[in-house]
Amino acid sequence: MSDLKPGDAIPELRVTPDKYLPHRYAGASGDYNPIHVDPDFAKSVGLPSNILHGLYSMGLVAKAAAVGLAGGDPRALKKLTVQFRGMGLPEQEVVVTGEVKEVDGNHVTVDLEAVQGETRIIRNAVAELEL
């Protein structure tokens, strides 16, 4: 723990959600909004296709923080704030990166973002962990 310092990068998380992930996530979350599960409907309202659930994208940010700094232990994550800024699409890689912002004893604050291609789907995310 003492070797972490502000400016340190956390390991990058790369995930490519398959085309059925929005359907599985809808079942898990109870959010069956057709913009997530029906590509034709999504296109009819001006979207490029069905889009990922924002909560799924936020979960990737939480996972990156927990895996990158706490060995995958989700209990270490004490607080997470995010700004949803873009739409994520199935079958395109999402990359989550982060940097240690502050270290105070066992308390670590990390700045994170999630991007898909040129689209920053989550920006200004901050995770607080107790390690």
Side-chain angles (χ1 to χ4, degrees), residues 15-26 29 31 33-39 42 47-60 84-96 114-117 119 121-122:
V15 176
T16 302
D18 66 67
K19 72 185 213 174
Y20 300 110
L21 182 119
H23 298 85
R24 292 191 310 274
Y25 199 84
S29 69
D31 180 356
N33 186 321
I35 64 171
H36 298 304
V37 296
D38 185 340
L47 299 174
S49 184
N50 60 312
I51 62 173
L52 299 174
H53 293 76
L55 194 56
Y56 169 78
S57 301
M58 186 176 85
L60 292 179
F84 300 102
R85 293 297 184 188
M87 294 176 285
L89 301 171
E91 301 185 279
Q92 295 182 26
E93 184 177 58
V94 177
V95 180
V96 182
V115 299
Q116 192 176 59
T119 304
I121 59 177
I122 292 184

